[in-house]
Amino acid sequence: MNHLGFKIDKVKIASFDFTCCEGCQLQLANKESTLPAFLGLLDIRNFREISSERYDDYDIALIEGSITRSDEIERLKAIRAQAKVLVAFGSCACFGGVNSLKNKIPGEEAVRGVYGDKTVQTMPSTKISDIVPVDLMIPGCPVSKAEVERIIVGVVTRAPNNLPKYPVCVDCKQKLNTCLFDLGEVCLGPVTKAGCDAVCPTGKTVCLGCRGPADDMNFPSFIQIVKEKGLSLDEMHEKLAFYNGFADFLDHES
Amino acid sequence: MIYKVISKTEFRKFIDALVKHNTAYGPRAVDTGKDGKPIYQFMPVTSADEIDFDYTVTHSSAKHLFLPYRDELSRFRFNDEDWEQEVRYEAPPLILIGLRPCDINAINILDEVMLHGPYPSPYYLARRKNTFIIGMDHLPLPDCFCKSMNRHTVNHGFNLFCSDIGDKYYLSINSSKAYTFLKEFMLEEPSYEDNCLLIERRKTIKQSFTTNIEVTGLPVFLDIEFDSPIWQKWGDKCLSCGSCAMVCPTCYCYSVEERFDVDLKGSSRQNHLYSCNLIDFAQVAGGHNFRPRNGDRLKYRYYHHYRGFAANDNQQICVGCNRCGRACLADINPKDVINDLRLERESCMICVSPSPDRT
Amino acid sequence: MHDMRFTLPGQDLNREPFALKPPDFQKKCEVMITDRGYKCRLTNIVTISSQEKLFLLRIINPQERELFNFRPGQFLMLEVPGYGEAPISISSDNSNHEFIEICIRKAGHVTSAMFEAKQGAVVSIRGPFGTAFPMEAMEGSNVLLVAGGLGIAPVRAPLYWIGNHRDRYKNVYLLYGAKEPSQLLFSYQFEEWKKVSKVELMTIVENPDASWAGRTGMITELFNDFSFDAKKTFAIVCGPPVMFKFVCNYLDGKGIPMNRMFVSLERRMHCGMGKCCRCMVGSTFTCLDGPVFDYWSVMNLKEAI
């Protein structure tokens, strides 16, 4: 394409998984209606969900998963050295994700619970920005394919697309959903970054904050609201800790 | 305007015929709240049985049927270095049943903004022209304050308006389209008794308001209170979540976004209903934010609703439906904010030294 | 049995005459295709500093070219298909119908796309929008133009106007300040403004480099260099809000009435037509009631600066 007189090239992309379920990467192979067009934007260099070919020259690296082993740190640093744009892909990479639940219990206990007496090397689950600088974050559990498309198109057309800054409530109200607080539940929609199209509240499931905090969200007021409505603060804390996206706020609070 | 009465059973037949042959929206219970009361929304309906004619109030307004939350304004198609723009106004005919007087007044205010300004919007016009509005009166809820805003009655902006006078509706027919449809049904001329019942109904409605807000002189008042600490106080509660603006029948602020198609062969320009409470509403290129704090943005919303519009169009944009107050998790509502503002000033008045005695 | 009788007739606006005509943004009419602009070709792109480029736009359709008449101070909405729209002040000579000049700094999506665009690319514009500097009211008086940084872009339009009607104005001063000498834009036109337009040009920079031999400091320093009859002077002040606050307060002290000082406010408009409310300051739309305001009005606008 030669829009505006400048040529738009495919981007050399690679995708890597660390400690995760690979569900976010699988999302990329979903949404068949736009899949051929989407793949048309990409020169896939390394992406085991899509192609068996492996090359080491890529510009964009998608990182799925959190870091839970020391060898992952070295691998991540090597990817960082090669990639021009490093993308934290999915909630695990962005915040530590569900994996971080194990950080709450002693490491040996976690290993014993899952692997029994087998020796397994592990460390607390860490988000990737604690280890290397991250250029872009695409949160979500799993990521939204529509949002990934938007962001990749932005990279390709040299017009970086930002995530929304506002909370999920905006999208939720636009779906004409009944507010889950009105049904007596604790929903993290008011403090969580929008962009998911409020899929969970639309399905009558509370938001668990997989996209992390909205910009400049009002945490003290949110706690106050949960209290005033007579809802469970423990439940709220449990939800806030689920994807580890609100770690900064929870640390601050205690 | 032509006045007729119709029995409720005949009215249902009329509505049934209309909704069977057209796209129609009416109030339906979508959930039951934790207080056990139904929660209503304007939803698509295909028969009169689906409509809750005696509903209380819908959670969201019907605004999005005129100003969709996300609307494609135009499409661009690229061909090498050139491109073509395609602008379409798609508005299939639509029937809207059960709007309250405040809702219809809200649409009249939107008409003012969208059609009577210097740049009339064809997108809005297309939808407005193709929408058939059937209004219905109701007894106010405890928190309705449309009477304070003088929006509890309406005399234009609808095709048909129904006042509940017992087992009949008193109809105000305001368009030939409505009359043409109604002719096929059993209408009666209003009797002396019907007229009395209508007046009685109106009186009951008027006397049933329990929430009142003093809005006299509010524009000037807001100017004086621009630096009042109460804005920070309410701002500290505000989640900046935009719920108030989404459910509001008159909030119309939007943002325009443009998106490439994934195949890069074209792009779509869309407007997206926004809210002045959202953090980046007043942010400019380069990052400067003119209203960085919650309190600033909350204040701005009140200014737009109670001051700005009054100054521009000689009317306040708020219709007093209190949907924002019900939707707000932090319990911010116009009554409390405005009363707080007044209280702040009045308590301050006490400190002012009394006028000198006349001698 | 009732089938057709109860079907609402639809009205298709796409077939109305207005939908076929190009929009005239200066004329009030019943409906307008507010979303369609005038297609323009980028006939020339000049890099005028490390951060700014000057674009020459030519409206492709002659009929639309005729419709686009602006007054100094007005702005246009620049549409770069795929990237979006941005409000840009017009910095060209309004008597020149052939080309429109806009000066852009790379700041957001749209401007970044413009920086990538090549000569010959096709974009579109809507407008002109907003209020203008009251050039006629200034006739017979001195005109003091004060520009800071990129503020020179909107000031360039009244400068051209004055050049075209020089005999109608008394003394004309242009005070122009920038952070660094390399950021003084349009330096290639300085001589033309001085000699042809007979404008007294004074420049100043905050951070001089080795090559700089002129004045150093804040723009208000320049007021020490000359005197003017405040009672018979109009002022046009464009620049960052901090600057025009300082300058206007200074000029107020000098005795220029507040309603004779004009400033241009910056907001991120999304529509340019008084609907999206993004540019609202208090109850005022920057796009309809501005961007040009007299300083008295600005003083009365809460949060304006």
Side-chain angles (χ1 to χ4, degrees):
Chain A
M1 194 184 88
N2 199 15
H3 183 46
L4 299 174
F6 65 88
K7 201 161 168 346
I8 291 177
D9 300 313
K10 288 186 176 193
V11 287
K12 289 184 176 176
I13 199 165
S15 182
F16 303 97
D17 44 86
F18 288 77
T19 304
C20 61
C21 67
E22 296 186 46
C24 289
Q25 291 183 91
L26 269 181
Q27 274 292 94
L28 288 187
N30 281 341
K31 203 160 173 260
E32 286 82 0
S33 58
T34 52
L35 192 59
F38 180 66
L39 292 179
L41 302 172
L42 309 175
D43 176 2
I44 292 171
R45 310 305 289 169
N46 191 337
F47 200 151
R48 75 176 192 138
E49 249 77 20
I50 291 178
S51 161
S52 54
E53 289 178 42
R54 300 269 183 281
Y55 304 98
D56 281 333
D57 58 325
Y58 47 84
D59 294 331
I60 299 182
L62 306 179
I63 306 293
E64 187 190 337
S66 65
I67 304 302
T68 57
R69 282 201 320 264
S70 51
D71 62 304
E72 288 184 325
I73 297 180
E74 298 318 309
R75 192 169 149 237
L76 180 61
K77 283 182 176 163
I79 294 167
R80 175 71 269 190
Q82 168 63 31
K84 286 183 189 143
V85 181
L86 187 117
V87 185
F89 194 64
S91 299
C92 294
C94 291
F95 313 117
V98 179
N99 306 337
S100 310
L101 289 175
K102 78 163 185 178
N103 298 357
K104 292 198 197 70
I105 52 173
E108 313 84 68
E109 207 178 299
V111 171
R112 208 177 317 117
V114 179
Y115 297 99
D117 294 333
K118 209 173 159 207
T119 326
V120 173
Q121 196 253 312
T122 186
M123 56 184 232
S125 173
T126 317
K127 60 180 186 283
I128 61 167
S129 63
D130 283 348
I131 294 163
V132 294
V134 166
D135 302 303
L136 272 177
M137 295 227 294
I138 309 182
C141 185
V143 293
S144 139
K145 177 73 189 290
E147 187 170 71
V148 176
E149 281 175 355
R150 210 154 56 230
I151 286 171
I152 296 292
V153 164
V155 171
V156 172
T157 56
R158 301 178 219 180
N161 267 311
N162 300 321
L163 303 175
K165 293 184 172 166
Y166 49 79
V168 174
C169 288
V170 175
D171 291 344
C172 192
K173 287 284 173 300
Q174 297 192 349
K175 294 260 178 199
L176 304 184
N177 294 336
T178 301
C179 182
L180 292 166
F181 278 91
D182 288 347
L183 301 180
E185 297 196 59
V186 181
C187 171
L188 299 189
V191 287
T192 303
K193 204 180 244 305
C196 52
D197 235 8
V199 274
C200 300
T202 305
K204 283 267 185 340
T205 308
V206 293
C207 172
L208 291 176
C210 73
R211 297 175 56 82
D215 289 30
D216 203 31
M217 60 88 159
N218 194 342
F219 195 60
S221 172
F222 182 71
I223 295 175
Q224 193 59 32
I225 286 164
V226 173
K227 275 188 205 158
E228 278 171 14
K229 294 202 179 283
L231 300 167
S232 157
L233 280 176
D234 291 342
E235 203 185 310
M236 179 195 81
H237 280 119
E238 202 177 293
K239 285 172 181 164
L240 285 164
F242 196 77
Y243 288 104
N244 209 34
F246 296 85
D248 295 347
F249 293 90
L250 292 173
D251 292 349
H252 195 72
E253 195 196 16
S254 51
Chain B
M1 196 100 72
I2 294 178
Y3 299 98
K4 298 277 180 198
V5 288
I6 189 168
S7 75
K8 284 191 175 171
T9 36
E10 189 70 3
F11 181 76
R12 285 180 84 93
K13 281 189 207 156
F14 160 68
I15 294 292
D16 211 46
L18 268 189
V19 301
K20 283 224 155 71
H21 297 111
N22 298 282
T23 310
Y25 282 76
R28 293 178 68 169
V30 290
D31 265 311
T32 306
K34 66 170 180 243
D35 54 2
K37 290 184 184 154
I39 294 169
Y40 297 99
Q41 293 283 20
F42 289 113
M43 299 303 264
V45 286
T46 50
S47 85
D49 293 340
E50 293 172 351
I51 303 172
D52 286 299
F53 288 101
D54 297 317
Y55 81 108
T56 47
V57 67
T58 56
H59 190 75
S60 290
S61 66
K63 155 183 78 177
H64 62 282
L65 298 169
F66 299 92
L67 299 171
Y69 291 125
R70 193 175 276 281
D71 193 16
E72 182 168 88
L73 298 175
S74 63
R75 286 202 63 80
F76 293 93
R77 286 181 205 292
F78 308 139
N79 40 50
D80 211 21
E81 293 201 12
D82 202 358
W83 47 264
E84 284 309 321
Q85 185 180 16
E86 192 183 295
V87 187
R88 303 276 306 164
Y89 312 111
E90 297 305 343
L94 187 77
I95 291 180
L96 218 51
I97 300 158
L99 294 199
R100 301 303 188 200
C102 60
D103 294 334
I104 300 171
N105 275 314
I107 295 168
N108 291 338
I109 290 171
L110 290 178
D111 286 355
E112 221 37 65
V113 178
M114 293 295 152
L115 301 178
H116 300 149
Y119 303 99
S121 160
Y123 303 94
Y124 181 83
L125 183 74
R127 292 203 174 84
R128 188 73 168 97
K129 283 209 163 184
N130 286 318
T131 307
F132 185 89
I133 296 176
I134 302 175
M136 298 182 98
D137 69 356
H138 74 143
L139 286 176
L141 300 176
D143 56 349
C144 286
F145 60 94
C146 49
K147 189 168 146 255
S148 305
M149 308 309 295
N150 204 16
R151 304 284 189 198
H152 60 301
T153 58
V154 66
N155 53 24
H156 69 288
F158 53 84
N159 297 70
L160 176 67
F161 192 85
C162 319
S163 299
D164 189 341
I165 51 165
D167 47 9
K168 286 188 268 188
Y169 284 114
Y170 197 107
L171 303 178
S172 311
I173 305 166
N174 198 20
S175 78
S176 66
K177 250 187 242 172
Y179 192 64
T180 316
F181 292 142
L182 277 165
K183 270 195 310 205
E184 311 270 331
F185 295 87
M186 276 188 341
L187 297 179
E188 296 163 37
E189 287 302 318
S191 65
Y192 174 78
E193 202 172 294
D194 292 331
N195 288 336
C196 288
L197 282 170
L198 178 71
I199 289 166
E200 198 52 41
R201 167 77 172 168
R202 292 210 171 141
K203 215 189 271 171
T204 314
I205 290 173
K206 202 173 165 189
Q207 286 165 351
S208 304
F209 284 94
T210 50
T211 299
N212 290 297
I213 301 183
E214 181 53 53
V215 291
T216 323
L218 196 57
V220 176
F221 207 78
L222 284 166
D223 262 0
I224 296 169
E225 292 299 330
F226 194 81
D227 296 316
S228 166
I230 80 127
W231 297 119
Q232 160 131 33
K233 183 180 121 191
W234 289 95
D236 284 346
K237 285 159 134 324
C238 177
L239 292 164
S240 296
C241 70
S243 293
C244 48
M246 297 303 137
V247 300
C248 175
T250 51
C251 268
Y252 57 87
C253 302
Y254 63 86
S255 73
V256 180
E257 290 167 14
E258 212 158 305
R259 288 176 181 175
F260 276 100
D261 297 343
V262 182
D263 60 10
L264 305 185
K265 285 180 183 149
S267 68
S268 158
R269 187 200 276 173
Q270 304 174 342
N271 71 3
H272 180 205
L273 195 81
Y274 224 69
S275 161
C276 49
N277 282 112
L278 305 183
I279 168 120
D280 55 350
F281 186 78
Q283 200 162 22
V284 295
H288 181 68
N289 193 341
F290 283 92
R291 288 189 281 273
R293 293 170 307 175
N294 296 14
D296 298 337
R297 297 191 291 271
L298 182 80
K299 175 166 70 181
Y300 169 79
R301 183 157 188 276
Y302 276 84
Y303 267 67
H304 190 190
H305 273 230
Y306 299 96
R307 164 155 190 354
F309 217 71
N312 289 342
D313 280 346
N314 203 24
Q315 58 179 343
Q316 286 167 345
I317 194 173
C318 174
V319 295
C321 67
N322 200 37
R323 282 195 175 92
C324 55
R326 285 178 217 123
C328 184
L329 290 173
D331 218 7
I332 304 171
N333 61 76
K335 184 192 94 186
D336 289 347
V337 174
I338 291 170
N339 284 348
D340 204 8
L341 201 62
R342 290 217 179 249
L343 209 64
E344 167 85 12
R345 173 58 46 189
E346 273 147 28
S347 63
C348 177
M349 292 291 191
I350 301 163
C351 329
V352 179
S353 57
S355 317
D357 292 334
R358 280 187 217 188
T359 46
Chain C
M1 53 162 187
H2 284 324
D3 274 2
M4 286 310 287
R5 277 181 298 162
F6 297 107
T7 308
L8 272 183
Q11 185 175 350
D12 186 2
L13 250 58
N14 295 302
R15 294 175 197 202
E16 303 280 323
F18 81 90
L20 308 168
K21 284 192 303 209
D24 183 349
F25 295 96
Q26 280 162 298
K27 215 167 74 191
K28 178 148 174 52
C29 59
E30 206 194 323
V31 206
M32 192 189 282
I33 322 172
T34 40
D35 198 43
R36 189 171 290 163
Y38 306 141
K39 247 189 192 187
C40 297
R41 196 173 293 285
L42 299 180
T43 50
N44 201 1
I45 301 170
V46 190
T47 304
I48 51 173
S49 84
S50 57
Q51 291 176 58
E52 285 94 4
K53 282 184 182 182
L54 182 73
F55 295 87
L56 263 72
L57 310 178
R58 181 172 167 81
I59 299 176
I60 295 168
N61 180 325
Q63 191 196 350
E64 293 174 349
R65 204 180 304 147
E66 233 18 73
L67 284 174
F68 192 88
N69 286 297
F70 75 96
R71 297 178 51 77
Q74 287 191 293
F75 70 96
L76 53 79
M77 292 298 289
L78 173 69
E79 159 75 46
V80 185
Y83 294 90
E85 280 190 308
I88 310 277
S89 57
I90 310 170
S91 53
S92 57
D93 181 350
N94 75 330
S95 67
N96 181 350
H97 281 269
E98 302 302 315
F99 298 98
I100 301 156
E101 292 173 41
I102 52 176
C103 178
I104 293 178
R105 176 179 291 175
K106 192 171 169 173
H109 264 184
V110 181
T111 47
S112 304
M114 283 296 277
F115 266 61
E116 301 268 357
K118 300 283 178 290
Q119 191 172 327
V122 182
V123 295
S124 110
I125 57 172
R126 291 189 295 126
F129 292 121
T131 50
F133 297 111
M135 300 313 293
E136 280 90 357
M138 297 182 191
E139 285 175 12
S141 304
N142 301 320
V143 183
L144 179 61
L145 303 148
V146 186
L150 192 56
I152 193 72
V155 161
R156 208 161 154 254
L159 254 180
Y160 274 116
W161 172 284
I162 289 168
N164 293 341
H165 311 92
R166 187 63 187 89
D167 53 326
R168 299 185 195 167
Y169 301 91
K170 291 207 174 117
N171 297 335
V172 180
Y173 310 92
L174 170 60
L175 280 57
Y176 180 22
K179 281 244 155 36
E180 285 158 29
S182 65
Q183 289 173 5
L184 282 171
L185 311 175
F186 303 108
S187 51
Y188 59 91
Q189 282 190 301
F190 285 178
E191 286 307 304
E192 173 197 334
W193 291 340
K194 281 189 210 166
K195 301 218 168 86
V196 183
S197 305
K198 302 210 169 46
V199 170
E200 275 191 51
L201 173 71
M202 287 156 267
T203 51
I204 192 162
V205 297
E206 270 177 57
N207 311 316
D209 58 18
S211 69
W212 183 249
R215 299 276 273 124
T216 304
M218 303 299 280
I219 197 155
T220 39
E221 295 276 320
L222 290 173
F223 289 116
N224 302 326
D225 296 7
F226 71 110
S227 62
F228 57 92
D229 183 357
K231 296 271 169 297
K232 290 182 184 149
T233 302
F234 281 80
I236 290 175
V237 185
C238 294
V242 190
M243 183 209 95
F244 63 63
K245 207 155 145 185
F246 270 108
V247 170
C248 291
N249 285 344
Y250 178 86
L251 295 177
D252 179 40
K254 279 273 178 187
I256 301 187
M258 282 193 185
N259 61 359
R260 290 194 181 181
M261 288 185 242
F262 297 90
V263 302
S264 183
L265 293 189
E266 178 212 13
R267 286 292 186 280
R268 180 66 177 93
M269 296 133 189
H270 281 219
C271 70
M273 303 182 293
K275 294 207 189 75
C276 72
C277 299
R278 297 303 284 256
C279 68
M280 259 192 144
V281 184
S283 53
T284 303
F285 288 102
T286 313
C287 61
L288 294 181
D289 308 320
V292 173
F293 290 96
D294 65 48
Y295 195 56
W296 168 249
S297 308
V298 172
M299 294 282 291
N300 284 291
L301 288 178
K302 313 277 185 189
E303 308 182 312
I305 43 179

